[in-house]
Amino acid sequence: MGVLTILEFPDERLRHKAAVVNRVDSGIRTLVKDMLTTMYEAHGVGLAATQVNVHKRVIVIDVSEEKNSPLCLINPVILTRDGQEESNEGCLSVPGFFEPVNRAKHITLKALDEEGNEFEMAADGLLGVCIQHEMDHLEGKLFVDYLSSLKRERIKKKLEKIHKGR
Ligand code: GNR
Ligand code: NI
């Protein structure tokens, strides 16, 4: 495998709900490795398996400047959410568009790592935004769903035009 193809809005496959991972085996670890390769190649700070058409609850993230701090979240569950903050979001599945979205300011969560061990963590800032954005992908939700239908339709038409010309 290696670099995977990233689905783009309005592809209906981005609307699938991802299934719980029952066993973190070599297949999942290969997926995680390929998702990291794909994320770094696309210059993203996160990637959900849904975006590469694998409908399992797997997320990779790296918000570090040096791109040397990969984080893998399998079956993530948010435990607490506090506050609210607006930040400009983009998405590798909605290339070229950035719009403000409101998210919880501080979250705590639990997840499994690539060895299948459960851990808990807290997150805010870009990491917190990114985790909430990626967890939405696992539910078939995109940041454009938080925008007005007018804005969303405009983005949809522009991307469809680009896809037709490919
Ligand atoms: O690379 C990404 N940048 C980003 C910026 C602000 C808020 C969320 C993100 S996630 C995005 C990568 C992506 O689409 N992950 O699903
Ligand atoms: Ni995204």
Side-chain angles (χ1 to χ4, degrees):
M1 284 209 266
V3 178
L4 308 170
T5 303
I6 299 175
L7 300 177
E8 292 185 7
F9 177 69
D11 194 312
E12 278 306 311
R13 292 170 291 182
L14 289 166
R15 299 307 188 178
H16 295 176
K17 184 179 156 74
V20 167
V21 173
N22 287 314
R23 225 166 64 89
V24 180
D25 56 15
S26 63
I28 294 293
R29 278 187 285 273
T30 299
L31 172 64
V32 167
K33 205 166 138 257
D34 292 342
M35 284 174 62
L36 282 167
T37 304
T38 305
M39 178 187 75
Y40 288 129
E41 202 248 0
H43 303 289
V45 296
L47 189 71
T50 306
Q51 294 176 276
V52 293
N53 200 29
V54 175
H55 303 285
K56 298 178 183 173
R57 304 188 82 79
V58 177
I59 288 168
V60 295
I61 292 175
D62 190 340
V63 295
S64 72
E65 201 72 45
E66 308 81 7
K67 294 291 164 216
N68 59 0
S69 302
L71 174 66
C72 163
L73 305 176
I74 298 169
N75 298 341
V77 175
I78 295 200
L79 301 173
T80 65
R81 342 172 122 73
D82 278 288
Q84 218 190 306
E85 196 166 49
E86 190 179 77
S87 65
N88 240 22
E89 292 198 22
C91 181
L92 294 172
S93 295
V94 190
F97 296 90
F98 297 87
E99 295 289 344
V101 175
N102 263 300
R103 303 278 188 186
K105 187 177 169 65
H106 183 93
I107 58 172
T108 62
L109 59 135
K110 65 175 181 178
L112 303 179
D113 65 18
E114 54 272 56
E115 256 111 63
N117 297 314
E118 189 173 279
F119 67 100
E120 288 188 19
M121 64 180 286
D124 55 19
L126 177 59
L127 178 60
V129 170
C130 191
I131 291 172
Q132 292 174 75
H133 174 113
E134 304 313 335
M135 287 184 69
D136 271 354
H137 276 302
L138 301 182
E139 298 301 319
K141 196 170 170 88
L142 298 168
F143 86 92
V144 296
D145 299 342
Y146 297 102
L147 310 179
S148 68
S149 53
L150 178 65
K151 270 192 180 175
R152 188 166 51 254
E153 283 304 309
R154 280 186 180 149
I155 292 171
K156 181 173 168 237
K157 292 221 163 71
K158 286 181 184 167
L159 283 175
E160 279 174 338
K161 191 169 173 186
I162 290 166
H163 295 157
K164 268 196 177 164
R166 275 186 187 162

